[in-house]
Amino acid sequence: MFCSIILSVLITTLVHESNAQLSSSFYSSTCPNVSSIVRSVVQQALQSDPRIGASLTRLHFHDCFVNGCDASVLLDQGGNITLSEKGAVPNNNSARGFDVVDKIKSAVENSCPGVVSCADILALAAEASVSLGGGPSWNVVLGRRDGVIANQSGANNSIPTPFESLANITAKFAAVGLNITDLVALSSAHTFGRAQCRFFNQRLFNWSGTGSPDPTLSPSYVASLQQRCPQNGSSGTTLNNLDPSSPDTFDNNYFSNLINNRGLLQTDQELFSSNNTVTISLVNSFAGNQTAFFEAFVQSMINMANISPLTAPQGQIRSNCRKLN
Ligand code: HEM
Ligand SMILES: *[C@@H]1O[C@H](CO)[C@@H](O)[C@H](O)[C@H]1NC(C)=O
Ligand SMILES: *[C@@H]1O[C@H](CO)[C@@H](O)[C@H](O)[C@H]1NC(C)=O
Ligand SMILES: *[C@@H]1O[C@H](CO)[C@@H](O)[C@H](O)[C@H]1NC(C)=O
Ligand SMILES: *[C@@H]1O[C@H](CO)[C@@H](O)[C@H](O)[C@H]1NC(C)=O
Ligand SMILES: *[C@@H]1O[C@H](CO)[C@@H](O)[C@H](O)[C@H]1NC(C)=O
Ligand SMILES: *[C@@H]1O[C@H](CO)[C@@H](O)[C@H](O)[C@H]1NC(C)=O
Ligand SMILES: *[C@@H]1O[C@H](CO)[C@@H](O)[C@H](O)[C@H]1NC(C)=O
Ligand SMILES: *[C@@H]1O[C@H](CO)[C@@H](O)[C@H](O)[C@H]1NC(C)=O
Ligand SMILES: *[C@@H]1O[C@H](CO)[C@@H](O)[C@H](O)[C@H]1NC(C)=O
Ligand SMILES: *[C@@H]1O[C@H](CO)[C@@H](O)[C@H](O)[C@H]1NC(C)=O
Ligand SMILES: *[C@@H]1O[C@H](CO)[C@@H](O)[C@H](O)[C@H]1NC(C)=O
């Protein structure tokens, strides 16, 4: 008992110390302009691809949930990387934005060679994307280093799928230290970006063997989704706006959509329709107060970006985000 208290104090101290090495001024002498460099490349990419901010935000999430925020998701398969995270089920033919990460990395290397990690670039790119999309801005703490392994089975198993129960999703967030408030706040990233039909068409025709669509989907929304994702259509890869009311804007419409039975993924709608009083009241409160929502979102993005960072002397600063040095 006494030993386990000492152990847990020790562990808490270690975790806090490793996070304490992250700081918003980490590059203030070595790369003072890093945030604006990242932001300007994201802004430029948005000109030709209004979806890219969403894609970059998702990459940061998929990075952090697997072995912490260590840029492991960016590693190409080959050499020591025998099974990439890119090839894992949640990412294969789905995660995108890797070319824009390369552009950001080149721009950063041009100003400050060998200094800024790819993991920090993902954290900064997510903040820039949210803010350029109309969402909140915040100070990103920095100083993460890049990992030297990829964990494909970790990516298969730790990243939530859109077919799970609220209880299972909650458990996957808890496994990385995030609670239900974080789950509801962060799910709102589905206020921008797209989803392929294959991730929700189980809801449209014969949900759970009932012979009918998912009753938690509004009938008019079902009708329009059935047109876009026909039952016997050859392809499940057609893209759909995750937030039909404001597809490229970061706002709290995600939550009013849920209240109106217009959550696109099963896991989105479950936040409001699973009879969980905690998630329902958070959805109502975020739908009714964008300021409260933005504050909670920022806090939860900071929490997510703090998952198990590598700090010196662990890891490395990759010179190419796709490869180990
Ligand atoms: C709660 C569990 C979550 C599940 C089950 C989930 C699942 C998905 C799925 C299936 C897609 C569509 C991918 C495709 O069609 O290729 C998607 C897209 C997206 N997800 Fe999530 N997600 C979750 C949480 C999050 C979180 C926490 C974030 C970020 C903070 C996030 C950000 C995004 C964004 C921005 C997109 C659009 C990406 C794009 O257009 O390229 N998601 N998500
Ligand atoms: C910082 O970077 C931005 C975007 O690349 C650029 O416009 C600005 O001039 C830079 N400022 C300094 C002090 O280098
Ligand atoms: C690749 O793996 C070999 C053998 O385990 C190891 O010696 C080497 O340091 C690794 N290379 C990198 C870049 O991690
Ligand atoms: C990823 O998808 C491609 C098809 O586009 C497939 O050939 C490949 O086997 C998939 N990779 C994995 C690891 O499942
Ligand atoms: C990840 O899941 C896919 C699909 O089930 C499987 O083919 C692949 O082998 C898994 N990867 C690992 C490392 O378990
Ligand atoms: C891979 O990820 C799983 C689940 O997130 C974790 O339990 C495991 O320790 C990781 N493996 C390595 C080698 O880091
Ligand atoms: C929820 O998790 C349990 C235990 O891991 C698993 O057996 C079950 O299939 C999952 N349910 C869904 C709907 O994914
Ligand atoms: C989740 O953690 C935050 C601190 O980051 C706390 O303010 C919030 O009350 C917690 N939510 C729940 C449901 O416990
Ligand atoms: C719906 O699915 C169930 C179970 O898979 C099947 O028995 C039933 O025939 C299907 N109903 C329709 C209308 O396709
Ligand atoms: C789709 O296929 C099922 C069985 O494969 C069939 O019963 C149904 O009539 C088809 N629906 C349409 C709209 O073609
Ligand atoms: C939630 O509660 C309502 C009313 O009690 C019930 O009809 C519905 O089936 C429940 N939904 C779930 C997902 O349990
Ligand atoms: C909205 O939330 C903010 C921040 O939590 C709070 O200060 C404000 O009073 C709330 N506004 C209303 C109308 O409840």
Side-chain angles (χ1 to χ4, degrees), residues 178-193:
L178 299 177
N179 69 19
I180 290 199
T181 309
D182 298 313
L183 167 62
V184 177
L186 292 173
S187 293
S188 72
H190 294 167
T191 180
F192 60 180

mmCIF file of all heavy atoms in Angstrom, residues 178-193:
data_model
loop_
_atom_site.group_PDB
_atom_site.id
_atom_site.type_symbol
_atom_site.label_atom_id
_atom_site.label_comp_id
_atom_site.label_asym_id
_atom_site.label_seq_id
_atom_site.Cartn_x
_atom_site.Cartn_y
_atom_site.Cartn_z
ATOM 1 N N LEU A 178 -7.576 10.611 -21.541
ATOM 2 C CA LEU A 178 -8.577 11.634 -21.871
ATOM 3 C C LEU A 178 -9.937 11.209 -21.331
ATOM 4 O O LEU A 178 -10.300 10.028 -21.404
ATOM 5 C CB LEU A 178 -8.648 11.853 -23.386
ATOM 6 C CG LEU A 178 -7.352 12.341 -24.059
ATOM 7 C CD1 LEU A 178 -7.522 12.456 -25.569
ATOM 8 C CD2 LEU A 178 -6.890 13.677 -23.474
ATOM 9 N N ASN A 179 -10.703 12.159 -20.801
ATOM 10 C CA ASN A 179 -11.982 11.821 -20.181
ATOM 11 C C ASN A 179 -13.161 12.161 -21.112
ATOM 12 O O ASN A 179 -12.982 12.533 -22.281
ATOM 13 C CB ASN A 179 -12.090 12.468 -18.798
ATOM 14 C CG ASN A 179 -12.221 13.987 -18.846
ATOM 15 O OD1 ASN A 179 -12.576 14.555 -19.887
ATOM 16 N ND2 ASN A 179 -11.955 14.633 -17.722
ATOM 17 N N ILE A 180 -14.360 12.046 -20.567
ATOM 18 C CA ILE A 180 -15.570 12.222 -21.387
ATOM 19 C C ILE A 180 -15.720 13.655 -21.897
ATOM 20 O O ILE A 180 -16.221 13.879 -23.004
ATOM 21 C CB ILE A 180 -16.816 11.786 -20.575
ATOM 22 C CG1 ILE A 180 -16.778 10.269 -20.403
ATOM 23 C CG2 ILE A 180 -18.098 12.193 -21.275
ATOM 24 C CD1 ILE A 180 -18.114 9.658 -20.055
ATOM 25 N N THR A 181 -15.276 14.612 -21.097
ATOM 26 C CA THR A 181 -15.316 16.003 -21.575
ATOM 27 C C THR A 181 -14.408 16.152 -22.799
ATOM 28 O O THR A 181 -14.783 16.791 -23.793
ATOM 29 C CB THR A 181 -14.855 16.973 -20.467
ATOM 30 O OG1 THR A 181 -15.592 16.694 -19.272
ATOM 31 C CG2 THR A 181 -15.072 18.413 -20.874
ATOM 32 N N ASP A 182 -13.214 15.548 -22.726
ATOM 33 C CA ASP A 182 -12.306 15.583 -23.871
ATOM 34 C C ASP A 182 -12.949 14.897 -25.083
ATOM 35 O O ASP A 182 -12.859 15.397 -26.213
ATOM 36 C CB ASP A 182 -10.990 14.860 -23.536
ATOM 37 C CG ASP A 182 -10.219 15.515 -22.397
ATOM 38 O OD1 ASP A 182 -10.070 16.756 -22.417
ATOM 39 O OD2 ASP A 182 -9.769 14.791 -21.486
ATOM 40 N N LEU A 183 -13.600 13.766 -24.845
ATOM 41 C CA LEU A 183 -14.230 13.044 -25.950
ATOM 42 C C LEU A 183 -15.255 13.922 -26.664
ATOM 43 O O LEU A 183 -15.258 14.019 -27.899
ATOM 44 C CB LEU A 183 -14.900 11.758 -25.425
ATOM 45 C CG LEU A 183 -15.854 11.073 -26.409
ATOM 46 C CD1 LEU A 183 -15.115 10.622 -27.665
ATOM 47 C CD2 LEU A 183 -16.551 9.889 -25.761
ATOM 48 N N VAL A 184 -16.126 14.562 -25.895
ATOM 49 C CA VAL A 184 -17.178 15.368 -26.522
ATOM 50 C C VAL A 184 -16.559 16.597 -27.201
ATOM 51 O O VAL A 184 -16.888 16.924 -28.344
ATOM 52 C CB VAL A 184 -18.250 15.776 -25.494
ATOM 53 C CG1 VAL A 184 -19.296 16.681 -26.126
ATOM 54 C CG2 VAL A 184 -18.918 14.532 -24.908
ATOM 55 N N ALA A 185 -15.648 17.260 -26.495
ATOM 56 C CA ALA A 185 -15.042 18.462 -27.070
ATOM 57 C C ALA A 185 -14.272 18.126 -28.348
ATOM 58 O O ALA A 185 -14.407 18.817 -29.366
ATOM 59 C CB ALA A 185 -14.124 19.137 -26.047
ATOM 60 N N LEU A 186 -13.478 17.053 -28.319
ATOM 61 C CA LEU A 186 -12.622 16.752 -29.474
ATOM 62 C C LEU A 186 -13.396 16.178 -30.647
ATOM 63 O O LEU A 186 -13.007 16.363 -31.808
ATOM 64 C CB LEU A 186 -11.500 15.793 -29.057
ATOM 65 C CG LEU A 186 -10.449 16.366 -28.105
ATOM 66 C CD1 LEU A 186 -9.502 15.271 -27.626
ATOM 67 C CD2 LEU A 186 -9.657 17.503 -28.774
ATOM 68 N N SER A 187 -14.495 15.473 -30.369
ATOM 69 C CA SER A 187 -15.290 14.925 -31.471
ATOM 70 C C SER A 187 -15.779 16.030 -32.395
ATOM 71 O O SER A 187 -16.038 15.806 -33.584
ATOM 72 C CB SER A 187 -16.496 14.143 -30.930
ATOM 73 O OG SER A 187 -16.074 12.982 -30.242
ATOM 74 N N SER A 188 -15.889 17.229 -31.854
ATOM 75 C CA SER A 188 -16.343 18.370 -32.642
ATOM 76 C C SER A 188 -15.404 18.719 -33.771
ATOM 77 O O SER A 188 -15.736 19.540 -34.624
ATOM 78 C CB SER A 188 -16.454 19.595 -31.748
ATOM 79 O OG SER A 188 -15.132 20.015 -31.438
ATOM 80 N N ALA A 189 -14.207 18.113 -33.809
ATOM 81 C CA ALA A 189 -13.343 18.322 -34.980
ATOM 82 C C ALA A 189 -14.087 17.879 -36.236
ATOM 83 O O ALA A 189 -13.727 18.276 -37.345
ATOM 84 C CB ALA A 189 -12.026 17.573 -34.816
ATOM 85 N N HIS A 190 -15.124 17.069 -36.075
ATOM 86 C CA HIS A 190 -15.973 16.697 -37.219
ATOM 87 C C HIS A 190 -16.882 17.851 -37.629
ATOM 88 O O HIS A 190 -17.865 17.641 -38.321
ATOM 89 C CB HIS A 190 -16.759 15.423 -36.897
ATOM 90 C CG HIS A 190 -15.886 14.213 -36.725
ATOM 91 N ND1 HIS A 190 -16.331 13.038 -36.184
ATOM 92 C CD2 HIS A 190 -14.575 14.002 -37.020
ATOM 93 C CE1 HIS A 190 -15.329 12.155 -36.157
ATOM 94 N NE2 HIS A 190 -14.253 12.724 -36.657
ATOM 95 N N THR A 191 -16.569 19.043 -37.239
ATOM 96 C CA THR A 191 -17.226 20.245 -37.750
ATOM 97 C C THR A 191 -16.643 20.639 -39.103
ATOM 98 O O THR A 191 -17.169 21.523 -39.771
ATOM 99 C CB THR A 191 -17.074 21.428 -36.766
ATOM 100 O OG1 THR A 191 -17.713 22.573 -37.301
ATOM 101 C CG2 THR A 191 -15.620 21.805 -36.534
ATOM 102 N N PHE A 192 -15.527 20.022 -39.477
ATOM 103 C CA PHE A 192 -15.001 20.229 -40.836
ATOM 104 C C PHE A 192 -14.462 18.910 -41.381
ATOM 105 O O PHE A 192 -14.332 17.932 -40.655
ATOM 106 C CB PHE A 192 -14.032 21.406 -40.939
ATOM 107 C CG PHE A 192 -12.750 21.422 -40.123
ATOM 108 C CD1 PHE A 192 -11.878 22.503 -40.243
ATOM 109 C CD2 PHE A 192 -12.403 20.392 -39.247
ATOM 110 C CE1 PHE A 192 -10.678 22.562 -39.516
ATOM 111 C CE2 PHE A 192 -11.206 20.445 -38.516
ATOM 112 C CZ PHE A 192 -10.359 21.517 -38.656
ATOM 113 N N GLY A 193 -14.201 18.898 -42.697
ATOM 114 C CA GLY A 193 -13.663 17.699 -43.313
ATOM 115 C C GLY A 193 -14.733 16.783 -43.879
ATOM 116 O O GLY A 193 -15.924 17.105 -43.873
#
